Amino acid sequence: GERLLFDCGEGTQRQMMRFGTGFGIGHLFVTHLHGDHILGIPGLIQTLDFNEREGPLAIHGPPGSKRHLEKLVHAGGYQPGFHVSVHEVRPGSVAYSADDYEIRAFETEHRTSSVGYALVEDDRPGRFDREKAEELGVPVGPAFGRLHSGEDVELEDGTVVHSEEVVGDPRPGRKVVYTGDTRPLETTVEVAEDADLLVHDATFTDEESDRAKSTAHSTAREAARVARDANVRRFALTHISARYAANPNPLLEQAREVYHGDVFVAEDGQKVDVPFPDADD
C-alpha cells in the first residue's frame, strides 16, 4: 500500500494526475541533480500542501545533494505546511528500511554525484504443508499460524511439532533495481543479480556510443549486457533520447541481440506487475 517516487522531473505532478497515481507518496528517491530528475520537486511540494497534506515526506539524494534539494523544497521562499526531511545516502547504504523491504543505494557513474536504488524485499516464510501438519496431529486453527511463523507447537499429548517439519525453505522476495542515469557498471550487475525487474538507462543506440560515453549514459546494448550478466527476469529500457521518440525499435532490437529475456521500452503511464519469483510454482 505504499507509494514511492523515484526522481521527479518537470511535469511529474501533471503525469501523476493524468495517470491517477494519487499523491500519497511517503518517500522520494533522487538519483542525481540534473534538471530532468529534480525540477518537478517545487511544484509537487506545493501541490501536496494545497491538498492539505499532513504527513511527512522524506527526500533521499546522493552525496552532496542536501543543500540543493532543500532549496528546491523552499523555492521562492515557500514554506510547506507539512514536514519535509532531506537525507543524503551513500552507495552501499540503506536509504530506507521498512517492515519487509529495504531501499538500498548503489554506485552509478554519471557526470555528477549520483546513486541508483534497489528495492529488495525480505525472504518470505516457506510454504506451509497443511496435510503434513494434520498428519502430525496439529489441530486446525491458531497453531497453524504459529508453525508458519517459525514457532514450535506442543500438542495436548506433549508431542512437540517443529516448524521446520511442516514449513518449506524460505522463499525469496522481489527485487526491483532502478539505475537513473549511468554508464554500465559491474556494480550494477552485482546489485541487480537475479532481479525481477531492472530499469536501466538506455539513452542511445550503438551509432551514438561515443556520445553515450561523453555524456555518461548507456547504449541499449550496453544496458542489455548488464541485464544479461545479472540474469534479471525482466528488463526495461528507459531515459530514451528524444531522437528515438517516434521509433524506439532500434534500441529494442539492439538490446534483444544481447539479452534474450523479457525486455521492453518503458512508456509513460505504463503499469508493470512484478510477481514473486516462485509465482508459477
Side-chain angles (χ1 to χ4, degrees):
E2 293 185 80
R3 288 187 178 90
L4 309 173
L5 179 62
F6 293 84
D7 284 332
C8 187
E10 184 178 0
T12 293
Q13 65 164 324
R14 177 68 185 88
Q15 294 292 70
M16 293 169 76
M17 288 185 276
R18 177 183 176 189
F19 296 112
T21 67
F23 286 107
I25 61 170
H27 294 264
L28 165 59
F29 300 90
V30 175
T31 58
H32 64 288
L33 297 183
H34 286 166
D36 55 332
H37 294 257
I38 61 171
L39 289 183
I41 292 176
L44 178 62
I45 294 292
Q46 294 182 34
T47 294
L48 294 176
D49 206 7
F50 180 77
N51 289 340
E52 300 182 335
R53 182 187 179 102
E54 296 180 353
L57 173 67
I59 302 177
H60 312 267
S65 65
K66 182 174 182 177
R67 177 171 58 91
H68 302 289
L69 291 171
E70 287 177 339
K71 285 183 177 180
L72 285 170
V73 170
H74 300 285
Y78 191 79
Q79 295 297 324
F82 59 96
H83 181 66
V84 180
S85 58
V86 179
H87 313 274
E88 292 184 8
V89 295
R90 296 193 172 278
S93 69
V94 175
Y96 172 56
S97 182
D99 289 340
D100 53 5
Y101 70 90
E102 291 181 339
I103 306 291
R104 302 172 185 171
F106 63 92
E107 176 189 6
T108 54
E109 181 186 334
H110 199 41
R111 291 175 295 168
T112 184
S113 178
S114 64
V115 292
Y117 295 100
L119 189 160
V120 184
E121 287 185 328
D122 297 343
D123 284 346
R124 298 168 294 142
R127 295 189 186 279
F128 180 70
D129 189 338
R130 174 174 177 146
E131 185 176 337
K132 179 68 177 297
E134 291 181 349
E135 287 177 2
L136 293 172
V138 181
V140 176
F144 280 12
R146 289 162 54 199
L147 285 164
H148 199 195
S149 65
E151 293 183 44
D152 297 336
V153 169
E154 184 175 351
L155 305 182
E156 290 184 359
D157 64 2
T159 302
V160 175
V161 177
H162 300 282
S163 175
E164 59 266 25
E165 295 181 77
V166 294
V167 178
D169 293 334
R171 295 172 294 163
R174 291 165 292 188
K175 183 195 292 188
V176 175
V177 177
Y178 169 63
T179 67
D181 297 3
T182 184
R183 291 290 297 151
L185 292 180
E186 182 61 30
T187 303
T188 308
V189 174
E190 295 169 2
V191 169
E193 184 178 7
D194 297 328
D196 298 280
L197 175 65
L198 170 64
V199 183
H200 198 294
D201 176 351
T203 308
F204 300 108
T205 61
D206 290 348
E207 289 71 27
E208 299 290 337
S209 60
D210 288 343
R211 180 156 174 75
K213 291 176 183 176
S214 66
T215 58
H217 287 291
S218 298
T219 67
R221 189 182 301 276
E222 289 171 329
R225 291 194 188 107
V226 172
R228 178 198 63 197
D229 294 348
N231 192 39
V232 303
R233 299 182 69 193
R234 300 184 77 187
F235 166 41
L237 305 174
T238 192
H239 203 273
I240 306 303
S241 169
R243 70 191 70 194
Y244 311 110
N247 180 25
N249 286 334
L251 294 150
L252 198 56
E253 290 167 1
Q254 291 179 7
R256 283 176 171 159
E257 290 175 4
V258 175
Y259 174 78
H260 303 302
D262 184 357
V263 55
F264 59 95
V265 174
E267 297 181 3
D268 288 355
Q270 184 174 7
K271 295 180 181 179
V272 179
D273 255 345
V274 182
F276 287 107
D278 60 345
D280 296 330
D281 292 351

